[in-house]
Amino acid sequence: MRLLSVTFKNIKKFIQHKPFLFAFLVISQIVCVIVVFLVCGFVDNANRESKIIQEGLNVFNVDVTNAGNGLDGYIEGWSSDAGTTYTDSNGKIYTEEEAKANNMKYPDGYFSDVCYFKNFKSKMAEFIEILGDNYSGFTIFGQVNDSLAAQKFSSGGSTDNSDVSEEIKNFQKSNENILRISKSDCESEFGKEPVIGDKVKLGNKEYTISIIDENVAYINIPYNTIPDDFIISYIWVYTVEPCTPKESAEISEKIKELFQTEYFDPPEPRVLDEVQNIQLAYGITAAVIIMIILNISRVYSYVLTYRKKPFAIMNICGASKRKIFLIYLVELMLTLIVTFGIALLIFHTLILQPIAVSYPNFLISMTSQTYLIIFGIYFVIAVLIMSLTISRFISKSAVEMERSGD
C-alpha cells in the first residue's frame, strides 16, 4: 500500500510540473493501442474470406433425394415472397395450395432408396460410427408421403445439447409419439390452433402436441418415433470440431457411398480461419506492438530525464534502487492499464462500428478474447522493454546523469 501511495504522489507531482509531457505520454499510448487494434483487425480481415463468417464449418448438408438429376416432373422450389412453389416439366409454376388441391406427385424415381426411413436408419448409424468422437448431432428433414404438398417434418439426435433446455433434451430422446410445433404450422397443416394434448395424424401414426414453440421450423418429432412412411429429403450432420480439408474429403467419399448422392455441401476447409489466420493476425500485431513500445520507451526515457530531481531526492533519502525501480515500474503499469482502457473504449464505441460498415468481419475479429490477448501481449512487452529503460536510468547516480547530459 505504501508503494502505491508513493507512486500516486510521484504521478501527481509529474502531472503538476510537466502536464503537457504527461499528456503527450498518455495520448501517444492511446493512439498506439488504437493502431494495434486496427492492425490486428485489418490483418485478420485481409485473410478471412466472407464465407468463413458463415456458420457451417462443422456441418455436412446432404441431399439424399435425386433432386437435380434431370427427371421430368415436379421439382420443389422456394421463394421468399411466394413461399413454396412447384414447377412442372413445361415450366409452369404451382403454388403449394394448387399442388395440394391437385394431389400432385413427385415423378417415379425422384427419391433414392436411402430416402425411405427404413433404409436410412442403418445408414445413419453407420455414418455416426464413422465420425466417431467427432460426431455431434444430426437433423433430418422430410415428409410423410411422395405428394408435393405433403406435411414436412424435421427430427434429429445429438450428443451435445449444452445449449438446449431440459425440456427439448427430453423431447429429442423421447420414445413417445409427441410433437413440437408452431402456431402457424399447426394452422396451415391441420387447420386449427395448437393446443397442448391435442392429437394429430402424421402419416400412419397419431401424435400428441407436447410443445408449442414459434422458434421451430417445420413440425418437429423425436427421431425414435419417425413414421414408417417418412421420406427424407436432406440431412444436416454436425461434427464436434471443424474438419480439415483431408477429413472433409474422406467423409465426403463415405457420404457418396452411404447415401447414394452427389448432392451435398461439405464443411468449408479451415484455410486461414481458426488457426493460421488468427496466428498471423496476432503475430503481426505483436511485431507492431514491439516497434511501438520501442518508440514509446524512447519517449519515456526522455520523460525520465526531466525527473532527475525526484530521483536524486529519493536517492539521498536512502531509497534503494530496487525501491525506486518498483515505484517507476508500478507507475508505468498503471498508465498502461488506464491508457489501454481508454483506447479500448474509444475504439469500441467510436471507431469499430463505422469501420464495420465497410469491413463487416471486424465485428467477428474484435472479440473480448482478441482484446484480452492484445492487452496481454501489449502489457508484457511494454513491461519488459520499459523495465530495461528504467534500469538504465536508475543505474546512474544523479551526478553521473548531470555530467552525461542525460
Side-chain angles (χ1 to χ4, degrees), residues 244-300:
T244 63
K246 182 180 178 181
E247 290 169 339
S248 181
E250 290 173 350
I251 294 172
S252 295
E253 287 302 314
K254 292 296 181 182
I255 288 175
K256 292 178 185 179
E257 179 185 335
L258 282 173
F259 299 110
Q260 305 168 21
T261 181
E262 295 284 339
Y263 305 102
F264 62 90
D265 296 320
E268 296 292 344
R270 299 171 64 184
V271 181
L272 281 176
D273 194 40
E274 300 303 326
V275 180
Q276 294 172 316
N277 189 46
I278 300 299
Q279 289 176 351
L280 179 63
Y282 290 146
I284 294 179
T285 300
V288 172
I289 287 175
I290 291 172
M291 290 187 290
I292 286 173
I293 297 299
L294 285 172
N295 285 321
I296 291 179
S297 71
R298 295 301 302 162
V299 174
Y300 194 66

Side-chain angles (χ1 to χ4, degrees), residues 225-393:
T225 67
I226 293 178
D228 293 336
D229 53 352
F230 190 89
I231 299 175
I232 297 163
S233 302
Y234 58 97
I235 62 174
W236 293 345
V237 182
Y238 306 89
T239 57
V240 176
E241 296 291 336
C243 294
T244 63
K246 182 180 178 181
E247 290 169 339
S248 181
E250 290 173 350
I251 294 172
S252 295
E253 287 302 314
K254 292 296 181 182
I255 288 175
K256 292 178 185 179
E257 179 185 335
L258 282 173
F259 299 110
Q260 305 168 21
T261 181
E262 295 284 339
Y263 305 102
F264 62 90
D265 296 320
E268 296 292 344
R270 299 171 64 184
V271 181
L272 281 176
D273 194 40
E274 300 303 326
V275 180
Q276 294 172 316
N277 189 46
I278 300 299
Q279 289 176 351
L280 179 63
Y282 290 146
I284 294 179
T285 300
V288 172
I289 287 175
I290 291 172
M291 290 187 290
I292 286 173
I293 297 299
L294 285 172
N295 285 321
I296 291 179
S297 71
R298 295 301 302 162
V299 174
Y300 194 66
S301 180
Y302 180 74
V303 167
L304 289 174
T305 61
Y306 277 88
R307 306 175 75 184
K308 290 181 290 186
K309 186 174 180 180
F311 169 71
I313 292 172
M314 286 188 287
N315 214 350
I316 293 169
C317 291
S320 65
K321 288 187 176 182
R322 179 177 176 276
K323 187 172 183 179
I324 295 172
F325 173 81
L326 288 175
I327 289 172
Y328 284 131
L329 183 62
V330 172
E331 173 187 298
L332 173 67
M333 291 167 69
L334 289 172
T335 60
L336 286 173
I337 293 170
V338 172
T339 53
F340 190 93
I342 294 172
L344 176 58
L345 184 65
I346 293 172
F347 178 80
H348 199 74
T349 57
L350 301 178
I351 300 176
L352 181 59
Q353 291 299 331
I355 288 181
V357 173
S358 300
Y359 301 92
N361 282 332
F362 255 84
L363 298 176
I364 306 298
S365 306
M366 304 312 292
T367 63
S368 299
Q369 182 184 11
T370 301
Y371 291 135
L372 284 172
I373 292 174
I374 292 176
F375 174 73
I377 296 172
Y378 181 79
F379 187 80
V380 170
I381 293 175
V383 168
L384 289 174
I385 294 177
M386 295 302 193
S387 294
L388 295 175
T389 303
I390 296 170
S391 297
R392 177 179 171 275
F393 174 75

Side-chain angles (χ1 to χ4, degrees), residues 10 17 20 62 71 116 120 154 160 167-168 199 219 229 263 272 301-302 312 339 371 395 405:
N10 213 33
H17 291 91
F20 292 109
V62 184
L71 288 172
Y116 298 95
F120 170 85
S154 70
D160 178 15
E167 183 183 33
I168 302 302
K199 306 286 185 182
I219 303 168
D229 53 352
Y263 305 102
L272 281 176
S301 180
Y302 180 74
T339 53
Y371 291 135
S395 65

Side-chain angles (χ1 to χ4, degrees), residues 28-145:
S28 64
Q29 289 185 60
I30 291 172
V31 171
C32 288
V33 172
I34 292 175
V35 168
V36 168
F37 288 152
L38 291 171
V39 169
C40 182
F42 279 120
V43 170
D44 190 44
N45 273 258
N47 295 283
R48 183 190 291 271
E49 299 179 31
S50 59
K51 63 184 178 183
I52 289 178
I53 69 172
Q54 303 294 326
E55 293 183 1
L57 287 173
N58 62 335
V59 180
F60 286 86
N61 187 343
V62 184
D63 183 349
V64 295
T65 69
N66 280 318
N69 62 3
L71 288 172
D72 289 333
Y74 302 100
I75 304 300
E76 185 175 4
W78 293 90
S79 169
S80 57
D81 297 323
T84 305
T85 57
Y86 303 92
T87 307
D88 65 17
S89 54
N90 296 317
K92 184 177 179 180
I93 298 174
Y94 297 84
T95 65
E96 187 163 12
E97 290 73 21
E98 290 170 337
K100 186 179 292 187
N102 293 308
N103 194 29
M104 293 179 175
K105 303 285 185 181
Y106 287 101
D108 290 338
Y110 181 85
F111 296 108
S112 69
D113 291 339
V114 184
C115 289
Y116 298 95
F117 185 65
K118 62 181 181 180
N119 301 324
F120 170 85
K121 196 170 184 179
S122 60
K123 300 286 186 181
M124 190 67 232
E126 188 176 344
F127 191 44
I128 291 172
E129 188 175 344
I130 289 169
L131 292 176
D133 292 339
N134 203 25
Y135 164 73
S136 176
F138 67 89
T139 303
I140 62 176
F141 302 85
Q143 57 197 59
V144 292
N145 58 55

